[in-house]
Amino acid sequence: LGDARSIADAREVATDVSVLVNNAGVLAAFNVLTTTRAQLDADLAINLHGTLDVTRAFLPALERAKKGAITSPWCSWHTNAK
């Protein structure tokens, strides 16, 4: 998710897209007591900006198809966690 070239390569190969599953991300910084701000910022950068970059890359294909869906299961799971 953090590599613009990889995202562009995937977009060039997958031109007929009707569903985008943003299921990638990282959680390298997970200990509240020992995680540094820099580690947390690195995780957030990948999870936020990477997901946004992938969505932006594939949204034109979904619009051309005039149908489709975008889902982010991790975010959905996290949001719905009790």
Side-chain angles (χ1 to χ4, degrees):
L1 282 174
D3 177 11
R5 182 72 248 159
S6 295
I7 295 170
D9 289 346
R11 182 187 59 221
E12 290 173 16
V13 173
T15 58
D16 185 20
V17 177
S18 60
V19 176
L20 173 61
V21 179
N22 274 324
N23 195 34
V26 296
L27 185 58
F30 58 88
N31 186 315
V32 172
L33 296 174
T34 60
T35 298
T36 67
R37 179 64 181 254
Q39 290 169 318
L40 180 59
D41 287 346
D43 281 2
L44 291 173
I46 293 292
N47 294 335
L48 175 63
H49 297 291
T51 299
L52 181 60
D53 292 345
V54 170
T55 300
R56 285 179 171 169
F58 285 93
L59 192 55
L62 293 168
E63 288 179 329
R64 280 192 303 275
K66 298 191 181 353
K67 62 179 179 179
I70 300 171
T71 183
S72 298
W74 184 86
C75 292
S76 297
W77 172 84
H78 188 273
T79 301
N80 294 326
K82 294 186 176 68

